[in-house]
Amino acid sequence: MDLESAEGSALTVEFGLLGDLEVRVDGRLAEIGHVKQRSVLVALLAEQGRPVPVDRLIDRVWGERAPARARDTLYGYLSKLRQVLDIQREPGGYRLRADSVDLHRFRTLVEQARTQTDERALELFDEAIGLWRGPALAGLDSPWLAAFREELNVERVEAELDRTDLAIKLGRNVLPELRKAAAERPVDERLIGQLMLALHRAGNSAEALRHYEALRQRLADELGVDPGAPLRVLHEHILTANPAPTPRQLPAPQQWFTGRTTELAGVRGEGVTVIAGAGGVGKTALAVQWAHRHLDDYPDGQLYVNLRGFDPSGEPVTTGAALRGFLDALGEHGGQVSTARFRSLVAGKLLLILLDNARDTEQVAGLLPGTRSCAVLVTSRNRLPGLLADGAHLVPLDVLGGREARELLASRLGRARVAAEPGVVTELVGWCGGLPLALSIVAARARRHGPGPPVVRAGRRAGRVRARRPGRGRVRSEPAGGVLVVARRAERRGCGAVRVARAGSLRGHEPGRDRGPLRAAASADGVAGTGERAPGAAARRRSLPHARPRPAVRGGPRRGEHRGPAPVRGPSPAACRSRCVDAGTAPAAAGAGTL
């Protein structure tokens, strides 16, 4: 309703019935008078702009307790209200012009919501219910006002129940609000049915059945009746439904996992923990190891997905694809795939979720549960600042120290074998740069070949550098002096396990797509480079870039570029040239063969 101020400008008047009675003029609360005068205003607002006869107004304000001069008293109240409000006297009674009333807005929104579907309907219900500020018309009392207040509360409850039905259908987490409402209305069968259905879909059928039994007992004691047919059908459905499976998706832990005591202690058992570090540094191994050590803390299961955030062979896994896998693992085959549905299923559960190899915050945001009862481990080459800003805990992961690297080799090869060749072990640890993946490749090749002359001879043969023409064998589309060129030429010369590990640890410098240490291992699967030509003088003159350490993690790669595992501190360029190109690699190769 618009009135005019003293200066002639229009004033906006807003009326609030969904809570304490309010009148706001240009956003400021207006004084409407005492209780009976406010009751007159409510009686006019209830008619939505229609005239209200005087006798009806008297009945609504006083009921059977009207004073002797009720009509004169009513005229006095109306006269005061007309000083601030647009109230007109007509043949049919008094009419209040009110264009902005929260009750009318609420009813319009609810009507629109019931004609819409899914997300739009949910938005309309939320907007309508959000208009309520508390119990309607608090402090006003008369028989008519009490009945009107109860009518409004019924409209509110029905809108909330309709909204809950839709939210459950869309997979939203409604358990907290349903539990609160059920405590306030313990014999509302429709509400208890919604709570039972939400609990059942969340995998908590036992609690759903307990709520049914509590309602059945209360109805029998207080009213002598049983629950209605819809609730009995739902009860039977829960009894006969197949129990939801308990997901056990974790990969097997590494048999030779070594060290990382501080990092394991830094992982938190609730909320989100981000394990960040360079490629090949052991993030997944650490996360899986921690998860298996704490299986008993998560009896509702463990979910795992490799998001392939830095996989050069394909695109990263989408949120929808990951959610589909999670829903299937939780027994929810088919139906809508949404974060809301996933969060509803895991709400209140003690569940561990491992999101491996995440590229950025956006990729994992839709996979996070909405409850702290679930623990989430995220591994990534990036620190995922978006998650950290929301309270996630960071566990940075660096390369292994010398002692831990030796322990890893000893666990793979045996302490006696490692102790027999301490000099060779020191050399190999230095070449691997502390990367667990590189150390594992070295150990695997040494175990396969075992100690003995064949590998020693192969290493020695690798040291006999033969002349070749410069430029032959260069990998296409790579810089002439790039690390990949030098690393592959070193591989062709047959440096045994050392060439595999070193090529893997230096791949972080390679431009273009990320190939990673595993490809280095695959391309160097042969033992010796017999019959292959070694690099020529031109290749020997090229300088291998000095491998300086990057921080454990930084921001993502530039557009169109996938960085490989972060390099670790290595020898100087001159030392690299001598090791990777010159004949000086023979002793190291021979050492790998000795192991």
Side-chain angles (χ1 to χ4, degrees):
M1 181 179 71
D2 294 333
L3 300 176
E4 288 189 359
S5 65
E7 294 78 14
S9 59
L11 299 176
T12 300
V13 183
E14 300 171 303
F15 299 91
L17 297 175
L18 306 181
D20 291 337
L21 176 64
E22 285 187 354
V23 178
R24 293 182 177 270
V25 180
D26 274 356
R28 289 192 290 261
L29 280 174
E31 178 58 43
I32 303 302
H34 54 74
V35 172
K36 293 303 181 183
Q37 187 167 301
R38 297 165 71 87
S39 299
V40 173
L41 176 58
V42 173
L44 292 171
L45 287 170
E47 293 298 330
Q48 301 188 35
R50 294 185 296 269
V52 185
V54 171
D55 291 339
R56 189 181 300 173
L57 286 174
I58 293 175
D59 181 66
R60 289 181 175 182
V61 174
W62 288 284
E64 296 180 354
R65 298 182 179 180
R69 302 184 63 179
R71 188 175 293 266
D72 292 339
T73 304
L74 176 64
Y75 290 154
Y77 293 155
L78 289 169
S79 177
K80 293 178 181 180
L81 289 173
R82 293 175 71 179
Q83 294 176 13
V84 293
L85 302 176
D86 187 3
I87 299 176
Q88 302 294 330
R89 183 168 185 175
E90 299 179 358
Y94 287 88
R95 181 174 67 87
L96 170 63
R97 181 188 169 199
D99 297 328
S100 180
V101 183
D102 59 358
L103 173 59
H104 305 165
R105 176 65 177 160
F106 168 78
R107 288 171 170 169
T108 300
L109 289 170
V110 170
E111 183 179 354
Q112 292 175 352
R114 288 169 177 159
T115 63
Q116 300 291 325
T117 58
D118 297 340
E119 295 292 343
R120 178 55 183 160
L122 198 61
E123 292 175 1
L124 293 170
F125 275 125
D126 287 339
E127 185 179 352
I129 296 170
L131 294 174
W132 283 77
R133 296 171 282 107
L137 307 174
L140 302 182
D141 190 24
S142 76
W144 176 83
L145 284 169
F148 185 50
R149 181 185 300 109
E150 182 61 25
E151 176 188 340
L152 297 183
N153 287 335
V154 169
E155 291 186 40
R156 176 182 185 176
V157 169
E158 289 179 349
E160 290 175 341
L161 291 172
D162 289 347
R163 186 258 181 205
T164 302
D165 280 338
L166 185 58
I168 293 175
K169 174 185 175 183
L170 295 176
R172 300 291 178 89
N173 179 21
V174 293
L175 281 175
E177 58 200 70
L178 280 176
R179 286 192 171 101
K180 180 180 178 181
E184 297 172 352
R185 308 198 305 275
V187 293
D188 187 329
E189 293 193 26
R190 184 180 175 191
L191 173 62
I192 299 303
Q194 291 177 339
L195 177 58
M196 291 172 59
L197 181 58
L199 287 168
H200 173 62
R201 290 192 174 182
N204 201 347
S205 298
E207 185 180 350
L209 296 175
R210 287 196 297 270
H211 279 284
Y212 176 85
E213 182 59 27
L215 174 64
R216 188 197 66 77
Q217 189 66 44
R218 183 184 290 269
L219 290 175
D221 293 344
E222 297 181 2
L223 303 175
V225 298
D226 290 328
L231 201 60
R232 294 199 306 270
V233 170
L234 175 60
H235 176 251
E236 185 67 22
H237 169 75
I238 295 175
L239 285 174
T240 58
N242 294 326
T246 301
R248 308 288 184 188
Q249 293 187 323
L250 288 178
Q254 281 191 0
Q255 181 180 355
W256 297 283
F257 185 86
T258 303
R260 301 298 195 190
T261 303
T262 301
E263 290 83 356
L264 285 169
V267 178
R268 295 181 178 176
E270 64 176 11
V272 181
T273 298
V274 177
I275 302 173
V281 81
K283 302 180 293 297
T284 301
L286 176 73
V288 171
Q289 187 72 22
W290 187 94
H292 278 277
R293 292 184 183 184
H294 295 81
L295 288 180
D296 293 341
D297 296 337
Y298 305 98
D300 293 323
Q302 304 86 39
L303 296 172
Y304 171 86
V305 62
N306 181 0
L307 296 173
R308 307 174 72 90
F310 299 89
D311 194 330
S313 62
E315 294 297 322
V317 175
T318 64
T319 300
L323 283 174
R324 179 71 275 167
F326 284 172
L327 293 174
D328 288 344
L330 293 167
E332 292 291 317
H333 305 287
Q336 185 185 36
V337 176
S338 68
T339 299
R341 184 182 180 193
F342 168 66
R343 289 174 176 168
S344 296
L345 287 173
V346 303
K349 288 189 174 183
L350 294 175
L351 197 70
L352 178 63
I353 304 171
L354 176 48
L355 308 177
D356 194 17
N357 198 20
R359 184 167 187 82
D360 50 34
T361 300
E362 182 180 359
Q363 191 182 21
V364 303
L367 303 175
L368 300 180
T371 173
R372 291 187 65 83
S373 64
C374 299
V376 182
L377 305 184
V378 184
T379 71
S380 178
R381 299 185 187 184
N382 300 322
R383 287 184 183 266
L384 307 183
L387 294 185
L388 300 183
D390 289 337
H393 176 62
L394 175 65
V395 177
L397 206 59
D398 207 341
V399 296
L400 294 174
R403 182 180 61 81
E404 290 184 327
R406 288 176 173 80
E407 284 293 325
L408 177 58
L409 287 177
S411 67
R412 297 290 299 268
L413 301 175
R415 295 188 180 278
R417 189 174 178 187
V418 170
E421 296 287 347
V424 175
V425 170
T426 301
E427 180 75 5
L428 292 180
V429 168
W431 271 75
C432 293
L435 282 175
L437 181 57
L439 289 164
S440 297
I441 295 171
V442 168
R445 291 177 62 81
R447 283 176 63 89
R448 183 174 65 185
H449 293 302
V455 181
V456 175
R457 289 196 299 269
R460 289 173 179 170
R461 284 197 301 269
R464 294 195 290 268
V465 180
R466 288 168 291 183
R468 80 176 274 169
R469 292 189 300 274
R472 287 286 301 273
R474 179 179 301 168
V475 182
R476 293 182 180 179
S477 73
E478 296 176 357
V483 175
L484 184 58
V485 175
V486 179
R488 287 184 177 173
R489 287 174 176 168
E491 291 171 8
R492 293 193 188 99
R493 294 177 48 253
C495 296
V498 176
R499 64 186 169 91
V500 179
R502 193 56 179 169
S505 65
L506 291 175
R507 282 288 170 89
H509 282 299
E510 177 192 348
R513 292 177 62 84
D514 172 20
R515 291 167 174 83
L518 286 176
R519 183 164 176 179
S523 64
D525 193 54
V527 179
T530 56
E532 294 180 347
R533 290 172 291 187
R540 290 196 297 270
R541 285 195 298 270
R542 296 191 183 101
S543 172
L544 184 65
H546 189 186
R548 299 191 180 277
R550 289 192 306 222
V553 280
R554 285 182 182 263
R558 294 186 298 271
R559 183 180 298 275
E561 173 186 350
H562 292 272
R563 291 176 183 165
V568 296
R569 184 175 299 279
S572 64
C576 290
R577 286 196 300 272
S578 65
R579 292 187 180 191
C580 290
V581 181
D582 295 340
T585 52
T594 302
L595 276 180

